[in-house]
């Protein structure tokens, strides 16, 4: 079996836009991670960046099921002793409206340099406006 290499100039990269208003956080993130990774293409290669770009609008209006808004915790560490900070979904979405969506997408991508590069292909915005209108993104439903 031969390893498939897709030349970067031959890989056609498209732009998509997803409206996350009222949608479940994990379902949107899973769809975005699949598109950004390139799994929706026939010539998918796991070790190359060949996926499409995705613009997510209204990320501040994303929904979570059950009592996750109060119970789901997000952690960060300052690097100092005793520097662990925790906040729940409600507080995080009030302070940084795009952070829960970005964290969910990053968690579904591969770890390492390729995953960090792929995470930059998902553009997350809190409101309905985005600066990527020149790319003519295609609206897709989740």
């Amino acid at each position: 079996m031969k390893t498939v290499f897709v030349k970067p100039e031959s890989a056609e990269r498209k732009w998509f836009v997803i409206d996350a208003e009222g949608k479940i956080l994990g379902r949107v993130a899973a769809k975005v991670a699949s598109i950004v990774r390139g799994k929706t293409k026939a010539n998918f290669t796991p070790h190359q960046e060949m996926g499409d770009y995705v613009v997510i609008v209204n990320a501040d209006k994303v929904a979570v099921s059950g009592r996750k808004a109060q119970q789901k915790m997000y952690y960060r560490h300052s690097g100092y002793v005793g520097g662990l900070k925790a906040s729940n979904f409600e507080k995080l979405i009030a302070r940084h409206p795009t952070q829960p969506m970005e964290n969910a997408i990053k968690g579904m991508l591969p770890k390492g340099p390729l995953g960090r590069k792929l995470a930059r292909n998902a553009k997350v915005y809190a409101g309905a406006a985005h600066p990527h209108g020149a790319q003519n993104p295609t609206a897709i439903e989740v």
Side-chain angles (χ1 to χ4, degrees), residues 106-138:
K106 283 179 189 173
M108 295 179 186
L109 291 173
K111 310 307 180 255
L114 178 64
R116 289 189 293 274
K117 193 172 185 183
L118 292 172
R120 287 193 293 269
N121 294 342
K123 320 290 188 190
V124 183
Y125 298 99
H130 63 85
H132 304 287
Q135 282 76 23
N136 295 325
T138 307

Side-chain angles (χ1 to χ4, degrees), residues 46-93:
H47 62 276
Q48 285 185 295
E49 179 203 12
M50 54 178 290
D52 297 317
Y53 296 94
V54 180
V55 178
I56 302 150
V57 294
N58 292 323
D60 55 342
K61 297 179 182 79
V62 74
V64 289
S65 60
R67 293 175 46 194
K68 289 191 190 91
Q70 295 84 28
Q71 292 179 344
K72 182 164 180 56
M73 299 299 288
Y74 292 89
Y75 298 98
R76 64 187 193 281
H77 200 283
S78 67
Y80 291 98
V81 177
L84 183 66
K85 307 287 185 200
S87 59
N88 63 8
F89 179 82
E90 283 179 337
K91 290 180 185 174
L92 187 64
I93 205 111

